[in-house]
Amino acid sequence: MNVYHPRVSACVWLIGMLLLGALGLKTLSRDWLETGFLALLPKIEQRPEIAEAIERHSQLINRKVIWLSGAASAEAAIANARKLERQMSDSGLFGKITLKISQDQAVNQYKQLFAYRYQLLDAKTRNLLETNPQALLDQNLEMLYSPVGQMQAAMLERDPLLLFGRTMNSQKPNNLNLEQGVVVLRDGQKVWALLLADLDNSQLPLEKLENLLQLTQNATAEIKKAGGELLVSGLPLFTAYGSESAKQEISTVGAGSSIGIILLFWFTFRSVRPLLLSATAIASGLVAALIISIWVFGKIHIITLVFGASLIGVVDDYAQHYLCDSFGERDWNPRKGLAAIFPALFLGLISNLLSYAGLGFSPFPGLQEVALFSAVGLFAAWLTVVLLFPMLLTGFQFAHEPALLKLAVIWERDWPAWVAKNRSWLAPTLLIVLASGIWKLTPRDDVRLLQSAPPALLQSAEKISQLLQVRDSQFFLVSGKDQKEWHRNEQQLLEKLETLVQNKALKSYEGLSRYWPDPEAQRNNYRLVKQKLFDSGLAERYMTNLGFDRAAVAAEAKAIIDAERNTLKLEDWLVMADEGKQSLWLGCAKDRCSGIVALSQIQDFAALTSLQQLPGVVWVDHVEELSSLFARYRIRASVLLFSAFALVLTGLCFKFGWRGAATVMAIPLVSALAALAMTGWFNQLFSLFNLFALLLVLGIGVDYAAFFFLAGERRLSTSLAVTLSGLTTLLSFGLLAVSSTEIVHAFGFTVAVGIITAMLTAPLIGTRAKAVSDQKYT
């Protein structure tokens, strides 16, 4: 303070803000807001092929939205779907919209694959040929003479044995049909028309998510008004709802904190200048936090802004302590006031920075962003108070005694006296409440808690999954040293999965080798057809009985001889396959070829995970891996929390001695235990994020305790400052507790309970702490 000059310090602050503004002009001009749910998730260290499989799986769903238009008839369902298609096209949101299946594409695929009809056999056809080839031909005759036989009769001339028709039908889901070129499916009395769309931007910018949400709501209302029903699902829609919820929470927390601070400041100080100064500290902190975070990370997630809005009540603490100190003495001046509270301000800053730095050890990008955002915001607000306030408060004094000060006096004087009088029963009661609440804690480490979604969307997604057999997030990764070994390994897995389907362990599965046989399998299929149908004479008798002339029979016999050398390579087959099947192949790299086997509607996870004992098979459950990561880091966060308490205690020992340090640390310790106990008593979510919230409780608790410990003769103004600080911070983090995202809610609940406890226990540091402090500095 001997070299402190308010004007020079204010100039330093102004220069810093100007430089920050210049950086902001460059930083904020680009797309800096991240909305995607996957951006919140950490990268898991694992083998490259597994990481690639997860990435491929994620890419397929990251932009895709599935729509099902339901009505009492196919005509109505298709009409509604076509109207929806026009709305989607006009919206400009989608790069690809698929309603009507291109007949040319189907014809081209048919022409290209038809030459390999003897090599491409589905499993049922192959089994019949091996066991009872006559039964296969009898089934053909039965089908030809049935009501649906006219559809097959058109193919009979080109494919008299109907082998290719069987193969193509086996690759189409049983409940899907084409009407007017549109994929439809029937569910009881209702018919659904399928429409698929891909957003044209995988980055999912906020404005497009808002438009997607509005489009969905409008389309749902219109189709319902027309007597139909619309089901819609997809990760972009979940992201849109999450972003909309986050926007509302930013508004709620930001507006709630701002209104609360304005009312409290006006009620307390009755002057515009303190309110403007406080607003300056808050604004400088938030602007600095936003610009520096974007500069470091490139993009920040919208959830970071939710936590950033809650920071309003925290960054204002330093301004409140400074302003409230002016009520402590009649001859108060800004320089003298800063000198008196600077040690407590500095300790409060260090403890808070250490607390937020602890969040940076999290593997979750979102929490790392929150850590930097909050630390920068706190530091910038602190610098604003220390560098700018002394000059702007020169000559300013309060000429009134705020009503809140009277309440703070009662709280500071009477509450500790009541606690001391009743400590004989309060202490054991507190121990029982804390111990029993902590005993009730049950960890929940589910990564899906990061995302919130309304029940209607979850029900719609579940219904679509049942109707379309949408892939689950779990899958098998199958590999081999070459395509041959990969194919053999996958075939062994598919045989086991078929058994599990029969046992109702899952609804369906999908693997490339189910549709594409490798060259060896193709040769075996060809030999099987030739021996069982042609060499045996069954094909000739069958065609003759159907009325084919000798020329047609001879042409078919020549066709199978000519096809002997035909081999369909995987690369050629993939060119003709749809996007879903293409995504199952990961390709060959170095000495490994890999593919994905997708699953739908899993019922028995234990039965599936046991299959990874098969050669070349790995069970991949990204959700479970992330949840396991949650659990592991929850344990590490417990160690980190303990270390943070020990580190702060050690630092305080150098400043206050071990007795003084223990006195100060008792406040955040009791506050943290109370937060955990109330989490257990109220059956709140307990996860990794609660422990990171306790790091903030540590910083805030040390802040309040240090101010009371160093208050000396300024206990009244300190009580007012801590009361104001606690109320504004409680407004911010307490409002997080109303979040629809369960993890954000739990974070807010934990911090709110910790703040309330710290406010209640900090004044208990009374004359004894003062005596220790006096002894230390005399």
Short mmCIF file of all heavy atoms in Angstrom, two decimals, residues 430 433-434 438 667-685 690 693-694 696-698 700-701 704 726 729-737 745-761:
data_model
loop_
_atom_site.label_atom_id
_atom_site.label_comp_id
_atom_site.label_asym_id
_atom_site.label_seq_id
_atom_site.Cartn_x
_atom_site.Cartn_y
_atom_site.Cartn_z
N LEU A 430 -25.96 -32.49 15.57
CA LEU A 430 -25.30 -32.23 14.29
C LEU A 430 -24.53 -33.45 13.81
O LEU A 430 -24.59 -33.81 12.62
CB LEU A 430 -24.36 -31.04 14.43
CG LEU A 430 -23.57 -30.64 13.17
CD1 LEU A 430 -24.51 -30.21 12.07
CD2 LEU A 430 -22.56 -29.53 13.49
N VAL A 433 -27.02 -36.05 12.49
CA VAL A 433 -27.60 -35.64 11.20
C VAL A 433 -26.57 -35.80 10.08
O VAL A 433 -26.89 -36.33 9.00
CB VAL A 433 -28.09 -34.18 11.28
CG1 VAL A 433 -28.48 -33.68 9.89
CG2 VAL A 433 -29.28 -34.07 12.21
N LEU A 434 -25.34 -35.34 10.32
CA LEU A 434 -24.31 -35.44 9.29
C LEU A 434 -23.98 -36.90 8.97
O LEU A 434 -23.92 -37.30 7.80
CB LEU A 434 -23.05 -34.72 9.74
CG LEU A 434 -23.13 -33.19 9.88
CD1 LEU A 434 -21.79 -32.63 10.34
CD2 LEU A 434 -23.56 -32.55 8.57
N ILE A 438 -24.85 -38.73 5.35
CA ILE A 438 -23.75 -39.23 4.51
C ILE A 438 -23.89 -40.73 4.31
O ILE A 438 -23.56 -41.26 3.23
CB ILE A 438 -22.39 -38.87 5.16
CG1 ILE A 438 -22.20 -37.35 5.12
CG2 ILE A 438 -21.25 -39.57 4.45
CD1 ILE A 438 -21.00 -36.85 5.87
N ILE A 667 -14.90 -24.20 9.12
CA ILE A 667 -16.11 -23.70 8.42
C ILE A 667 -16.34 -24.44 7.10
O ILE A 667 -17.41 -25.00 6.88
CB ILE A 667 -16.01 -22.18 8.20
CG1 ILE A 667 -15.81 -21.47 9.53
CG2 ILE A 667 -17.26 -21.66 7.48
CD1 ILE A 667 -16.84 -21.78 10.59
N PRO A 668 -15.37 -24.46 6.16
CA PRO A 668 -15.61 -25.20 4.91
C PRO A 668 -15.78 -26.70 5.13
O PRO A 668 -16.50 -27.36 4.38
CB PRO A 668 -14.38 -24.90 4.05
CG PRO A 668 -13.33 -24.47 5.02
CD PRO A 668 -14.06 -23.77 6.12
N LEU A 669 -15.12 -27.25 6.18
CA LEU A 669 -15.25 -28.68 6.44
C LEU A 669 -16.68 -29.02 6.86
O LEU A 669 -17.29 -29.95 6.31
CB LEU A 669 -14.27 -29.11 7.53
CG LEU A 669 -14.33 -30.58 7.95
CD1 LEU A 669 -14.01 -31.48 6.75
CD2 LEU A 669 -13.37 -30.86 9.11
N VAL A 670 -17.23 -28.29 7.81
CA VAL A 670 -18.61 -28.53 8.24
C VAL A 670 -19.58 -28.26 7.09
O VAL A 670 -20.56 -29.00 6.91
CB VAL A 670 -18.95 -27.66 9.47
CG1 VAL A 670 -20.43 -27.75 9.81
CG2 VAL A 670 -18.10 -28.08 10.67
N SER A 671 -19.30 -27.21 6.30
CA SER A 671 -20.18 -26.88 5.17
C SER A 671 -20.20 -28.02 4.15
O SER A 671 -21.26 -28.38 3.61
CB SER A 671 -19.70 -25.59 4.50
OG SER A 671 -19.71 -24.53 5.41
N ALA A 672 -19.03 -28.58 3.85
CA ALA A 672 -18.95 -29.69 2.89
C ALA A 672 -19.68 -30.92 3.42
O ALA A 672 -20.43 -31.59 2.68
CB ALA A 672 -17.49 -30.02 2.60
N LEU A 673 -19.48 -31.24 4.69
CA LEU A 673 -20.17 -32.40 5.28
C LEU A 673 -21.68 -32.19 5.29
O LEU A 673 -22.45 -33.13 5.04
CB LEU A 673 -19.64 -32.63 6.70
CG LEU A 673 -18.18 -33.08 6.82
CD1 LEU A 673 -17.76 -33.16 8.28
CD2 LEU A 673 -17.97 -34.43 6.13
N ALA A 674 -22.12 -30.96 5.58
CA ALA A 674 -23.56 -30.68 5.57
C ALA A 674 -24.14 -30.82 4.17
O ALA A 674 -25.26 -31.35 4.00
CB ALA A 674 -23.80 -29.27 6.10
N ALA A 675 -23.39 -30.36 3.16
CA ALA A 675 -23.86 -30.50 1.78
C ALA A 675 -24.02 -31.97 1.41
O ALA A 675 -25.01 -32.37 0.78
CB ALA A 675 -22.90 -29.80 0.83
N LEU A 676 -23.05 -32.80 1.79
CA LEU A 676 -23.15 -34.23 1.52
C LEU A 676 -24.31 -34.86 2.28
O LEU A 676 -25.06 -35.68 1.73
CB LEU A 676 -21.84 -34.92 1.91
CG LEU A 676 -20.62 -34.67 1.02
CD1 LEU A 676 -19.38 -35.32 1.62
CD2 LEU A 676 -20.88 -35.18 -0.40
N ALA A 677 -24.47 -34.47 3.54
CA ALA A 677 -25.54 -35.05 4.36
C ALA A 677 -26.91 -34.70 3.81
O ALA A 677 -27.80 -35.56 3.71
CB ALA A 677 -25.41 -34.57 5.80
N MET A 678 -27.11 -33.44 3.42
CA MET A 678 -28.41 -33.04 2.87
C MET A 678 -28.67 -33.70 1.51
O MET A 678 -29.82 -33.99 1.17
CB MET A 678 -28.47 -31.52 2.73
CG MET A 678 -28.51 -30.76 4.06
SD MET A 678 -29.91 -31.25 5.11
CE MET A 678 -29.10 -32.34 6.30
N THR A 679 -27.60 -33.94 0.75
CA THR A 679 -27.76 -34.69 -0.50
C THR A 679 -28.31 -36.08 -0.22
O THR A 679 -29.19 -36.58 -0.94
CB THR A 679 -26.40 -34.80 -1.23
OG1 THR A 679 -25.93 -33.50 -1.55
CG2 THR A 679 -26.53 -35.61 -2.51
N GLY A 680 -27.81 -36.71 0.85
CA GLY A 680 -28.32 -38.02 1.24
C GLY A 680 -29.72 -37.96 1.81
O GLY A 680 -30.59 -38.77 1.45
N TRP A 681 -29.98 -37.01 2.69
CA TRP A 681 -31.30 -36.90 3.31
C TRP A 681 -32.41 -36.61 2.30
O TRP A 681 -33.52 -37.14 2.40
CB TRP A 681 -31.29 -35.80 4.38
CG TRP A 681 -30.79 -36.25 5.71
CD1 TRP A 681 -29.62 -35.89 6.34
CD2 TRP A 681 -31.44 -37.15 6.60
NE1 TRP A 681 -29.49 -36.52 7.55
CE2 TRP A 681 -30.61 -37.30 7.74
CE3 TRP A 681 -32.64 -37.86 6.56
CZ2 TRP A 681 -30.94 -38.12 8.81
CZ3 TRP A 681 -32.97 -38.68 7.63
CH2 TRP A 681 -32.13 -38.80 8.74
N PHE A 682 -32.11 -35.77 1.31
CA PHE A 682 -33.12 -35.40 0.31
C PHE A 682 -33.06 -36.28 -0.94
O PHE A 682 -33.70 -35.98 -1.94
CB PHE A 682 -32.97 -33.93 -0.07
CG PHE A 682 -33.43 -32.97 0.98
CD1 PHE A 682 -32.55 -32.48 1.93
CD2 PHE A 682 -34.76 -32.59 1.05
CE1 PHE A 682 -32.97 -31.61 2.92
CE2 PHE A 682 -35.20 -31.71 2.03
CZ PHE A 682 -34.31 -31.22 2.98
N ASN A 683 -32.28 -37.36 -0.85
CA ASN A 683 -32.19 -38.33 -1.94
C ASN A 683 -31.84 -37.65 -3.27
O ASN A 683 -32.41 -37.95 -4.32
CB ASN A 683 -33.51 -39.11 -2.08
CG ASN A 683 -33.36 -40.35 -2.93
OD1 ASN A 683 -32.28 -40.95 -2.98
ND2 ASN A 683 -34.42 -40.75 -3.60
N GLN A 684 -30.88 -36.73 -3.23
CA GLN A 684 -30.42 -36.05 -4.43
C GLN A 684 -29.36 -36.89 -5.14
O GLN A 684 -28.77 -37.79 -4.55
CB GLN A 684 -29.83 -34.69 -4.05
CG GLN A 684 -30.82 -33.72 -3.46
CD GLN A 684 -31.84 -33.23 -4.46
OE1 GLN A 684 -31.50 -32.69 -5.51
NE2 GLN A 684 -33.11 -33.42 -4.16
N LEU A 685 -29.14 -36.55 -6.40
CA LEU A 685 -28.10 -37.23 -7.16
C LEU A 685 -26.74 -37.01 -6.48
O LEU A 685 -26.38 -35.89 -6.13
CB LEU A 685 -28.06 -36.67 -8.58
CG LEU A 685 -26.84 -37.06 -9.43
CD1 LEU A 685 -26.88 -38.54 -9.77
CD2 LEU A 685 -26.78 -36.22 -10.70
N ASN A 690 -20.94 -33.58 -7.66
CA ASN A 690 -21.13 -33.09 -6.30
C ASN A 690 -19.79 -32.82 -5.62
O ASN A 690 -19.65 -31.84 -4.88
CB ASN A 690 -21.93 -34.11 -5.47
CG ASN A 690 -23.30 -34.39 -6.05
OD1 ASN A 690 -23.43 -35.07 -7.05
ND2 ASN A 690 -24.32 -33.85 -5.41
N ALA A 693 -18.41 -29.73 -6.84
CA ALA A 693 -19.13 -28.63 -6.21
C ALA A 693 -18.57 -28.33 -4.82
O ALA A 693 -18.52 -27.18 -4.39
CB ALA A 693 -20.61 -28.96 -6.13
N LEU A 694 -18.13 -29.38 -4.13
CA LEU A 694 -17.57 -29.19 -2.79
C LEU A 694 -16.25 -28.41 -2.83
O LEU A 694 -15.86 -27.79 -1.84
CB LEU A 694 -17.36 -30.54 -2.11
CG LEU A 694 -18.65 -31.30 -1.76
CD1 LEU A 694 -18.32 -32.63 -1.09
CD2 LEU A 694 -19.55 -30.46 -0.87
N LEU A 696 -15.89 -25.79 -4.62
CA LEU A 696 -16.36 -24.41 -4.54
C LEU A 696 -16.80 -24.07 -3.12
O LEU A 696 -16.59 -22.95 -2.65
CB LEU A 696 -17.51 -24.19 -5.52
CG LEU A 696 -17.26 -24.57 -6.98
CD1 LEU A 696 -18.38 -24.06 -7.85
CD2 LEU A 696 -15.93 -24.01 -7.46
N VAL A 697 -17.42 -25.04 -2.46
CA VAL A 697 -17.81 -24.84 -1.07
C VAL A 697 -16.56 -24.57 -0.22
O VAL A 697 -16.57 -23.72 0.68
CB VAL A 697 -18.58 -26.06 -0.53
CG1 VAL A 697 -18.83 -25.93 0.97
CG2 VAL A 697 -19.91 -26.21 -1.27
N LEU A 698 -15.47 -25.27 -0.52
CA LEU A 698 -14.21 -25.04 0.17
C LEU A 698 -13.76 -23.59 -0.01
O LEU A 698 -13.42 -22.90 0.96
CB LEU A 698 -13.13 -25.99 -0.36
CG LEU A 698 -11.67 -25.69 0.03
CD1 LEU A 698 -11.49 -25.75 1.54
CD2 LEU A 698 -10.73 -26.65 -0.68
N ILE A 700 -15.50 -20.90 -0.96
CA ILE A 700 -16.43 -19.93 -0.37
C ILE A 700 -16.37 -19.98 1.15
O ILE A 700 -16.39 -18.94 1.83
CB ILE A 700 -17.87 -20.23 -0.87
CG1 ILE A 700 -17.96 -19.96 -2.38
CG2 ILE A 700 -18.89 -19.39 -0.11
CD1 ILE A 700 -19.24 -20.47 -3.02
N GLY A 701 -16.27 -21.19 1.71
CA GLY A 701 -16.19 -21.33 3.16
C GLY A 701 -14.95 -20.68 3.74
O GLY A 701 -15.00 -19.99 4.76
N TYR A 704 -15.44 -16.80 3.66
CA TYR A 704 -16.25 -16.27 4.75
C TYR A 704 -15.51 -16.37 6.08
O TYR A 704 -15.51 -15.43 6.89
CB TYR A 704 -17.57 -17.02 4.84
CG TYR A 704 -18.49 -16.84 3.66
CD1 TYR A 704 -19.66 -17.57 3.54
CD2 TYR A 704 -18.20 -15.92 2.65
CE1 TYR A 704 -20.51 -17.41 2.46
CE2 TYR A 704 -19.04 -15.75 1.56
CZ TYR A 704 -20.19 -16.52 1.47
OH TYR A 704 -21.03 -16.34 0.40
N GLY A 726 -23.31 -13.93 0.76
CA GLY A 726 -23.99 -15.22 0.82
C GLY A 726 -25.31 -15.21 0.09
O GLY A 726 -25.65 -16.15 -0.63
N THR A 729 -24.63 -15.02 -3.77
CA THR A 729 -24.09 -16.29 -4.24
C THR A 729 -25.15 -17.37 -4.17
O THR A 729 -25.26 -18.23 -5.06
CB THR A 729 -22.87 -16.71 -3.39
OG1 THR A 729 -21.93 -15.64 -3.37
CG2 THR A 729 -22.20 -17.94 -3.96
N LEU A 730 -25.95 -17.33 -3.12
CA LEU A 730 -27.03 -18.31 -2.97
C LEU A 730 -28.06 -18.16 -4.08
O LEU A 730 -28.60 -19.15 -4.59
CB LEU A 730 -27.70 -18.14 -1.61
CG LEU A 730 -28.64 -19.24 -1.14
CD1 LEU A 730 -27.91 -20.56 -1.06
CD2 LEU A 730 -29.24 -18.89 0.22
N LEU A 731 -28.32 -16.90 -4.47
CA LEU A 731 -29.23 -16.67 -5.59
C LEU A 731 -28.71 -17.34 -6.85
O LEU A 731 -29.46 -18.00 -7.58
CB LEU A 731 -29.38 -15.17 -5.84
CG LEU A 731 -30.50 -14.44 -5.11
CD1 LEU A 731 -30.39 -12.95 -5.34
CD2 LEU A 731 -31.86 -14.94 -5.59
N SER A 732 -27.40 -17.17 -7.11
CA SER A 732 -26.83 -17.71 -8.34
C SER A 732 -26.83 -19.22 -8.35
O SER A 732 -27.41 -19.85 -9.23
CB SER A 732 -25.40 -17.19 -8.51
OG SER A 732 -25.39 -15.78 -8.57
N PHE A 733 -26.15 -19.82 -7.37
CA PHE A 733 -26.02 -21.28 -7.37
C PHE A 733 -27.31 -21.95 -6.94
O PHE A 733 -27.60 -23.08 -7.35
CB PHE A 733 -24.87 -21.70 -6.46
CG PHE A 733 -23.52 -21.51 -7.08
CD1 PHE A 733 -22.72 -20.45 -6.71
CD2 PHE A 733 -23.06 -22.36 -8.06
CE1 PHE A 733 -21.48 -20.26 -7.29
CE2 PHE A 733 -21.83 -22.18 -8.65
CZ PHE A 733 -21.04 -21.12 -8.26
N GLY A 734 -28.11 -21.26 -6.12
CA GLY A 734 -29.40 -21.84 -5.75
C GLY A 734 -30.31 -21.99 -6.96
O GLY A 734 -31.06 -22.97 -7.08
N LEU A 735 -30.22 -21.04 -7.90
CA LEU A 735 -31.04 -21.12 -9.10
C LEU A 735 -30.61 -22.26 -10.02
O LEU A 735 -31.40 -22.74 -10.83
CB LEU A 735 -31.01 -19.79 -9.86
CG LEU A 735 -31.79 -18.64 -9.19
CD1 LEU A 735 -31.53 -17.33 -9.89
CD2 LEU A 735 -33.28 -18.95 -9.17
N LEU A 736 -29.34 -22.68 -9.90
CA LEU A 736 -28.91 -23.85 -10.66
C LEU A 736 -29.68 -25.09 -10.22
O LEU A 736 -29.86 -26.03 -10.99
CB LEU A 736 -27.41 -24.11 -10.47
CG LEU A 736 -26.42 -23.20 -11.19
CD1 LEU A 736 -25.00 -23.66 -10.91
CD2 LEU A 736 -26.67 -23.18 -12.70
N ALA A 737 -30.14 -25.08 -8.97
CA ALA A 737 -30.85 -26.24 -8.44
C ALA A 737 -32.19 -26.45 -9.10
O ALA A 737 -32.81 -27.51 -8.94
CB ALA A 737 -31.03 -26.11 -6.93
N HIS A 745 -28.52 -29.61 -11.62
CA HIS A 745 -29.36 -29.45 -10.42
C HIS A 745 -28.61 -29.90 -9.16
O HIS A 745 -28.61 -29.20 -8.14
CB HIS A 745 -30.64 -30.28 -10.58
CG HIS A 745 -31.39 -30.49 -9.31
ND1 HIS A 745 -32.26 -29.56 -8.80
CD2 HIS A 745 -31.41 -31.54 -8.44
CE1 HIS A 745 -32.78 -30.01 -7.66
NE2 HIS A 745 -32.28 -31.21 -7.43
N ALA A 746 -27.95 -31.06 -9.24
CA ALA A 746 -27.21 -31.57 -8.08
C ALA A 746 -26.06 -30.65 -7.72
O ALA A 746 -25.78 -30.42 -6.54
CB ALA A 746 -26.70 -32.98 -8.39
N PHE A 747 -25.38 -30.12 -8.73
CA PHE A 747 -24.28 -29.18 -8.50
C PHE A 747 -24.80 -27.95 -7.74
O PHE A 747 -24.21 -27.53 -6.73
CB PHE A 747 -23.67 -28.77 -9.84
CG PHE A 747 -22.35 -28.06 -9.74
CD1 PHE A 747 -21.18 -28.75 -9.96
CD2 PHE A 747 -22.28 -26.71 -9.46
CE1 PHE A 747 -19.95 -28.11 -9.88
CE2 PHE A 747 -21.06 -26.05 -9.38
CZ PHE A 747 -19.89 -26.76 -9.59
N GLY A 748 -25.90 -27.37 -8.22
CA GLY A 748 -26.47 -26.20 -7.57
C GLY A 748 -26.94 -26.48 -6.16
O GLY A 748 -26.75 -25.68 -5.24
N PHE A 749 -27.58 -27.65 -5.96
CA PHE A 749 -28.07 -28.03 -4.64
C PHE A 749 -26.91 -28.15 -3.65
O PHE A 749 -26.98 -27.65 -2.52
CB PHE A 749 -28.83 -29.35 -4.73
CG PHE A 749 -29.37 -29.84 -3.40
CD1 PHE A 749 -30.59 -29.43 -2.94
CD2 PHE A 749 -28.62 -30.73 -2.63
CE1 PHE A 749 -31.09 -29.87 -1.72
CE2 PHE A 749 -29.10 -31.19 -1.41
CZ PHE A 749 -30.34 -30.75 -0.96
N THR A 750 -25.84 -28.80 -4.07
CA THR A 750 -24.69 -29.01 -3.19
C THR A 750 -24.06 -27.68 -2.78
O THR A 750 -23.78 -27.45 -1.59
CB THR A 750 -23.64 -29.88 -3.89
OG1 THR A 750 -24.24 -31.14 -4.24
CG2 THR A 750 -22.45 -30.15 -2.98
N VAL A 751 -23.83 -26.80 -3.76
CA VAL A 751 -23.22 -25.50 -3.45
C VAL A 751 -24.15 -24.66 -2.58
O VAL A 751 -23.70 -24.00 -1.63
CB VAL A 751 -22.84 -24.75 -4.74
CG1 VAL A 751 -22.29 -23.37 -4.41
CG2 VAL A 751 -21.82 -25.53 -5.54
N ALA A 752 -25.45 -24.70 -2.87
CA ALA A 752 -26.40 -23.90 -2.09
C ALA A 752 -26.41 -24.32 -0.62
O ALA A 752 -26.37 -23.47 0.28
CB ALA A 752 -27.80 -24.03 -2.68
N VAL A 753 -26.45 -25.62 -0.36
CA VAL A 753 -26.41 -26.09 1.04
C VAL A 753 -25.10 -25.70 1.70
O VAL A 753 -25.07 -25.28 2.86
CB VAL A 753 -26.62 -27.62 1.09
CG1 VAL A 753 -26.42 -28.14 2.52
CG2 VAL A 753 -28.01 -27.99 0.60
N GLY A 754 -23.99 -25.84 0.95
CA GLY A 754 -22.70 -25.46 1.49
C GLY A 754 -22.62 -23.98 1.84
O GLY A 754 -22.07 -23.60 2.89
N ILE A 755 -23.19 -23.12 0.99
CA ILE A 755 -23.17 -21.68 1.25
C ILE A 755 -24.00 -21.34 2.49
O ILE A 755 -23.57 -20.57 3.36
CB ILE A 755 -23.70 -20.91 0.03
CG1 ILE A 755 -22.72 -21.03 -1.13
CG2 ILE A 755 -23.93 -19.44 0.37
CD1 ILE A 755 -23.27 -20.52 -2.44
N ILE A 756 -25.19 -21.92 2.58
CA ILE A 756 -26.04 -21.67 3.76
C ILE A 756 -25.32 -22.08 5.04
O ILE A 756 -25.33 -21.35 6.04
CB ILE A 756 -27.37 -22.42 3.61
CG1 ILE A 756 -28.19 -21.84 2.46
CG2 ILE A 756 -28.18 -22.37 4.91
CD1 ILE A 756 -29.44 -22.63 2.12
N THR A 757 -24.69 -23.25 5.00
CA THR A 757 -23.96 -23.72 6.19
C THR A 757 -22.80 -22.80 6.52
O THR A 757 -22.55 -22.48 7.69
CB THR A 757 -23.46 -25.15 5.97
OG1 THR A 757 -24.55 -25.99 5.56
CG2 THR A 757 -22.86 -25.72 7.25
N ALA A 758 -22.06 -22.36 5.49
CA ALA A 758 -20.94 -21.45 5.73
C ALA A 758 -21.41 -20.13 6.32
O ALA A 758 -20.76 -19.56 7.21
CB ALA A 758 -20.18 -21.22 4.42
N MET A 759 -22.55 -19.63 5.84
CA MET A 759 -23.10 -18.39 6.38
C MET A 759 -23.49 -18.56 7.85
O MET A 759 -23.32 -17.63 8.66
CB MET A 759 -24.32 -17.97 5.57
CG MET A 759 -24.01 -17.44 4.19
SD MET A 759 -25.54 -17.03 3.29
CE MET A 759 -26.18 -15.70 4.31
N LEU A 760 -24.00 -19.73 8.19
CA LEU A 760 -24.43 -19.97 9.56
C LEU A 760 -23.26 -20.18 10.51
O LEU A 760 -23.31 -19.79 11.68
CB LEU A 760 -25.37 -21.17 9.62
CG LEU A 760 -26.76 -20.99 9.01
CD1 LEU A 760 -27.52 -22.31 9.00
CD2 LEU A 760 -27.55 -19.94 9.76
N THR A 761 -22.20 -20.81 10.02
CA THR A 761 -21.09 -21.17 10.91
C THR A 761 -19.98 -20.13 10.96
O THR A 761 -19.25 -20.07 11.95
CB THR A 761 -20.50 -22.52 10.47
OG1 THR A 761 -20.15 -22.46 9.07
CG2 THR A 761 -21.49 -23.65 10.70
#
